[in-house]
Amino acid sequence: METGLSSWAIVAIVCNSVVGFLTLILFVILYKACKVPSCQERAPVLIPAQEQQGVEQKYLLTAA
């Protein structure tokens, strides 16, 4: 009777270690990606309320 780990148990440990390592890399990539701001051209620009009302009034005038 062998008291050591079977070969299948060792394979399972190695596979789980690889999956854990890849998960760690994924979390590092996500952490770094969240710190980098998006492209400023695509980011919505907050316009002051007065300008926003002017844009809405222009739309209402052209739509009527």
Side-chain angles (χ1 to χ4, degrees), residues 4-59:
L5 293 174
S6 69
S7 60
W8 290 112
I10 294 172
V11 169
I13 291 170
V14 170
C15 288
N16 285 330
S17 299
V18 170
V19 169
F21 180 70
L22 291 175
T23 305
L24 179 67
I25 290 175
L26 175 67
F27 280 120
V28 169
I29 291 171
L30 287 174
Y31 174 75
K32 289 188 177 196
C34 289
K35 289 178 68 175
V36 176
S38 300
C39 180
Q40 295 299 323
E41 295 174 355
R42 293 184 181 178
V45 178
L46 297 176
I47 54 177
Q50 294 174 347
E51 291 180 21
Q52 186 176 6
Q53 289 176 353
V55 171
E56 290 175 359
Q57 289 173 354
K58 287 180 186 176
Y59 175 75

